[in-house]
C-alpha cells in the first residue's frame, strides 16, 4: 500500500524550471531525474530529443531549456541514491545542453553564465563521482 501512495505522489511532480509542462514530457523528466528506468539508457536520449522538439526558435526559450536540462542532469548526477551507471550516463550527456548553450552565447553576460555552469559541473562532479 505504501508503494502505491509513493507512486501517486511522484507522478504529480512538476518540473517548474521548464517552460513547457505536459504529462508526457514530465514523465520523461521524472524517469531521467529519478532513474526509474535505469536499465534503459535510450530514455535519456529520447528525453533530450523530445525537449528539443518542444522548443520555440527564440534564443531565450532555448537558453532556458538548456539550463533546465543541465540542472536536471546535475541533480541526477549528485543523487547518490541513484545507480552509479545512471549517474555516469547523465554525466556523459550533460555536455549536450552545455554545448548548445555555448553555441547560443553571443554576449559577455551569456558567456559568463556558461562559465558558471561549467564551473558548477567541475566542482560537483569531484564530490559525487
Amino acid at each position: 500500500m505504501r508503494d502505491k501512495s509513493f507512486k501517486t505522489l511522484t507522478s504529480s511532480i512538476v518540473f517548474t524550471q521548464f517552460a513547457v509542462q505536459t504529462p508526457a514530457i514530465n514523465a520523461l523528466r521524472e524517469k531521467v531525474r529519478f532513474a526509474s528506468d535505469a536499465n534503459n539508457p535510450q530514455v535519456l536520449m529520447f528525453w533530450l530529443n523530445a525537449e528539443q522538439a518542444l522548443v520555440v526558435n527564440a534564443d531565450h526559450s532555448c537558453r532556458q531549456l538548456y539550463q533546465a536540462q543541465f540542472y536536471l542532469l546535475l541533480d541526477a548526477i549528485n543523487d547518490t541514491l541513484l545507480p552509479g551507471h545512471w549517474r555516469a550516463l547523465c554525466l556523459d550527456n550533460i555536455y549536450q545542453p552545455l554545448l548548445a548553450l555555448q553555441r547560443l552565447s553571443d554576449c559577455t553576460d551569456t558567456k559568463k553564465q556558461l562559465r558558471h555552469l561549467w564551473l558548477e559541473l567541475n566542482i560537483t562532479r569531484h564530490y559525487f563521482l
Side-chain angles (χ1 to χ4, degrees):
M1 195 58 136
R2 183 172 179 257
D3 292 333
K4 185 177 180 181
S5 62
F6 178 74
K7 183 65 177 167
T8 304
L9 178 67
T10 59
S11 63
S12 63
I13 293 175
V14 176
F15 295 89
T16 56
Q17 67 271 30
F18 290 91
V20 176
Q21 300 289 327
T22 67
I25 201 73
N26 278 342
L28 284 172
R29 291 171 184 150
E30 185 176 340
K31 282 180 182 255
V32 170
R33 172 56 186 91
F34 299 109
S36 59
D37 200 1
N39 292 325
N40 184 3
Q42 293 301 318
V43 168
L44 187 60
M45 302 293 5
F46 184 70
W47 167 66
L48 288 168
N49 291 332
E51 291 278 7
Q52 186 62 38
L54 292 175
V55 75
V56 182
N57 286 335
D59 280 353
H60 176 71
S61 62
C62 287
R63 279 191 188 94
Q64 182 183 8
L65 169 69
Y66 296 136
Q67 285 179 356
Q69 286 178 336
F70 170 82
Y71 281 113
L72 188 136
L73 290 169
L74 190 65
D75 287 346
I77 292 166
N78 294 338
D79 190 344
T80 57
L81 297 176
L82 298 181
H85 72 280
W86 185 259
R87 295 169 60 216
L89 181 68
C90 290
L91 179 62
D92 289 345
N93 286 280
I94 200 167
Y95 299 102
Q96 290 187 35
L98 285 173
L99 293 175
L101 283 167
Q102 186 172 354
R103 285 190 298 274
L104 292 173
S105 294
D106 56 356
C107 69
T108 306
D109 287 340
T110 58
K111 289 178 182 179
K112 183 178 178 181
Q113 290 172 349
L114 181 62
R115 282 192 306 272
H116 175 75
L117 295 177
W118 280 104
L119 179 64
E120 192 170 354
L121 174 62
N122 284 327
I123 290 170
T124 57
R125 75 180 173 92
H126 288 293
Y127 286 105
F128 293 101
L129 289 177

